[in-house]
Amino acid sequence: MNPAEPGPAGRPALVACSHGTRSEQGRRTVDALRAAVAATRPDLDVRAAHVDVHGPELPEVVGELSAAGRRSVVVPLLLSSGYHVRVDIAEAVAASGGLSVAGAALGPGEEVTDVVLQRLGEALGEDPAGFDGAVVLAAAGSSDAVAQGDVRTAAALLGARLRAPVTTGFLSAQEPTVADAVAAARRAGARRVAVASYLLAPGVFSQRLAAAGADAVAEPMGPHPLLVDLVLRRYEAAELAAAV
């Protein structure tokens, strides 16, 4: 669709904004999530945007839509409300002259926990609720305090579903590392340790998990139907809030 054309039925464009990655597999995974969103809602104009690494860059996408008089809702394909949500996305929206709004990040929440649990069960080959070992939630890591708090919340939500404590390990910026968290669980007496992935798509971070020393490592969430539904609900909620 040409940016100068009005959106279907006058609805704002859905700008599905991911972090960006150098991993081709990671790009394909996030593209598949966007494609699934577009296929589920063919009445919406779904656009790709990124806050880092590669284009199309978010300010460019929102700016192009705004220059054409088009409204947009930016939905972060991110698992926490860290710097990229509160600064990068907020700045792009603020520069739109009131034509763009931002939805909430995808996580933490029960829907994301459902996906994490499913991927963990696939890695274990059993119902994770019956797992008799320790679980480490592996996250990218951030220096942002809000993002750190979101990961703690995600671990608590997962622990509540497993009815067992869940510790956290990080792949950058924070400690303990995933490998250190796995080792700590073994020192505490766990016979088996599983890593639950708090990552949306495969890439450099997910590749590091295989070397963490766990007995089972879950795959990233990928374009799961629950995430497709969640993206669309974030869009609808932001559009409704803007109309009030």
Side-chain angles (χ1 to χ4, degrees):
M1 176 178 294
N2 187 304
E5 297 175 358
R11 300 294 300 275
L14 192 167
V15 180
C17 181
S18 69
H19 182 277
T21 176
R22 293 180 177 82
S23 166
E24 288 299 325
Q25 185 182 9
R27 291 190 192 191
R28 288 195 299 271
T29 299
V30 176
D31 286 345
L33 176 57
R34 291 192 187 94
V37 170
T40 302
R41 288 290 302 274
D43 58 312
L44 297 180
D45 177 13
V46 178
R47 302 289 182 100
H50 311 89
V51 292
D52 203 356
V53 184
H54 61 86
E57 297 178 352
L58 179 63
E60 173 189 349
V61 174
V62 172
E64 183 180 55
L65 288 164
S66 300
R70 292 283 311 280
R71 295 180 297 138
S72 63
V73 175
V74 179
V75 178
L77 304 186
L78 301 167
L79 297 172
S80 66
S81 300
Y83 181 89
H84 292 306
V85 171
R86 299 192 336 274
V87 177
D88 293 331
I89 292 177
E91 288 181 351
V93 166
S96 72
L99 288 173
S100 182
V101 296
L106 299 184
E110 294 296 345
E111 301 91 341
V112 170
T113 304
D114 285 338
V115 181
V116 172
L117 275 171
Q118 181 176 327
R119 297 291 182 247
L120 180 59
E122 291 165 357
L124 290 169
E126 63 182 88
D127 183 351
F131 180 57
D132 61 355
V135 174
V136 175
L137 183 69
S142 173
S143 59
D144 183 274
V146 175
Q148 292 172 4
D150 282 348
V151 173
R152 289 192 294 272
T153 298
L157 289 170
L158 182 59
R161 298 285 290 277
L162 294 173
R163 298 183 180 178
V166 171
T167 59
T168 52
F170 302 94
L171 293 152
S172 68
Q174 285 179 258
E175 294 183 344
T177 65
V178 177
D180 286 346
V182 169
R186 294 202 190 280
R187 288 195 301 271
R191 293 187 303 105
R192 294 196 296 164
V193 182
V195 170
S197 177
Y198 199 64
L199 301 170
L200 187 63
V204 174
F205 284 162
S206 64
Q207 291 168 3
R208 295 178 187 171
L209 295 181
D215 298 287
V217 177
E219 293 293 327
M221 298 177 209
H224 195 284
L226 288 175
L227 297 184
V228 173
D229 180 65
L230 184 57
V231 169
L232 290 168
R233 284 193 285 115
R234 293 288 191 260
Y235 169 90
E236 299 287 354
E239 183 188 21
L240 180 62
V244 173

